[in-house]
Amino acid sequence: MIYSLKGIVQQLHPTSVVVDVQGVGYMVGISLQTSEKLTLGKETFLNIQQIIREDAHLLFGFNTILEKEMFNLLISVNGVGPVSALIMLSSLSLTEIATGILSNNSGMLQKVKGIGAKTADRIIVDLRDKVQKFNVSEENISTFVNNKVKEESLSALEVLGISKKMSEKIADRILKQNPDLSVEDLIKQILKNI
């Protein structure tokens, strides 16, 4: 089992790299986060996850152990393959993924290409207890919950014909003073302040 690779970056693409280890080139799938840390022609060290299938031996590389751990958690969810996991790691930071899971923010996870409602819900249910260590503070969770409440409130007010620009400023002011409002209460407060 290949656990890590240390060698020269021979070829570099946004989603893959060829690492030359003493004359042997290893093709490794990577996220954009890891890709940004690599330089063509320079030495690199990658934490590797090897996946062996009937038709292929695949290598996936990560700049940090935490990114590798998140990758393994994501692919443990039924319906999330290695490519979907890499796309998610490329689209969102580790903290954003963990916060989205802990705050039940299915919509945020669905913004990732290839992740539908059912898969997002499955990720939340399966990984809720496993993502605590990814530096998620209570503040991050309440900010995500606030954003969700704010978005739903502004959408509802737009349907009523109230411009988003006007209601957004009021919503921000109200949420600063009272961050735990429900969608209904926030809409009432905004309507009182218009």
Side-chain angles (χ1 to χ4, degrees):
M1 183 66 95
I2 298 172
Y3 185 77
S4 64
L5 288 177
K6 184 178 181 182
I8 305 295
V9 177
Q10 195 176 26
Q11 292 178 29
L12 181 59
H13 308 283
T15 57
S16 68
V17 61
V18 175
V19 180
D20 181 340
V21 182
Q22 297 178 350
V24 179
Y26 292 90
M27 171 69 91
V28 182
I30 53 173
S31 70
L32 291 176
Q33 284 184 51
T34 294
S35 180
E36 288 169 2
K37 305 275 192 295
L38 302 176
T39 309
L40 198 59
K42 298 275 187 204
E43 188 171 79
T44 188
F45 175 87
L46 290 175
N47 298 287
I48 298 294
Q49 180 59 52
Q50 184 175 15
I51 297 178
I52 299 171
R53 299 194 315 219
E54 280 181 27
D55 59 342
H57 288 234
L58 305 172
L59 300 178
F60 296 94
F62 308 95
N63 190 45
T64 65
I65 284 285
L66 274 179
E67 191 185 16
K68 179 180 174 177
E69 287 177 17
M70 181 63 88
F71 175 83
N72 283 322
L73 286 174
L74 289 169
I75 63 172
S76 74
V77 176
N78 192 8
V80 180
V83 173
S84 295
L86 278 187
I87 292 170
M88 188 171 268
L89 289 168
S90 295
S91 307
L92 304 168
S93 73
L94 298 180
T95 306
E96 286 171 331
I97 295 170
T99 305
I101 291 168
L102 289 169
S103 61
N104 290 327
N105 192 340
S106 174
M108 186 182 110
L109 300 178
Q110 287 177 55
K111 287 180 184 170
V112 176
K113 185 176 182 271
I115 303 292
K118 280 183 181 169
T119 306
D121 290 342
R122 207 174 300 127
I123 290 170
I124 290 169
V125 170
D126 288 2
L127 302 184
R128 187 176 294 129
D129 300 332
K130 299 174 184 172
V131 294
Q132 298 288 355
K133 68 173 162 191
F134 291 92
N135 257 346
V136 181
S137 66
E138 289 299 318
E139 194 179 297
N140 280 353
I141 292 174
S142 67
T143 302
F144 272 102
V145 172
N146 275 351
N147 286 346
K148 198 174 177 185
V149 167
K150 181 176 142 185
E151 288 302 315
E152 287 179 25
S153 302
L154 296 180
S155 295
L157 288 165
E158 261 186 320
V159 171
L160 296 174
I162 297 162
S163 87
K164 191 172 184 175
K165 241 183 204 171
M166 189 166 65
S167 53
E168 190 164 17
K169 284 179 187 166
I170 298 167
D172 288 337
R173 194 174 67 230
I174 293 167
L175 284 170
K176 233 179 222 171
Q177 296 165 348
N178 203 341
D180 298 325
L181 285 176
S182 69
V183 174
E184 294 78 16
D185 290 337
L186 181 59
I187 291 170
K188 286 176 191 169
Q189 292 288 330
I190 292 170
L191 288 171
K192 281 181 192 170
N193 285 284
I194 287 179

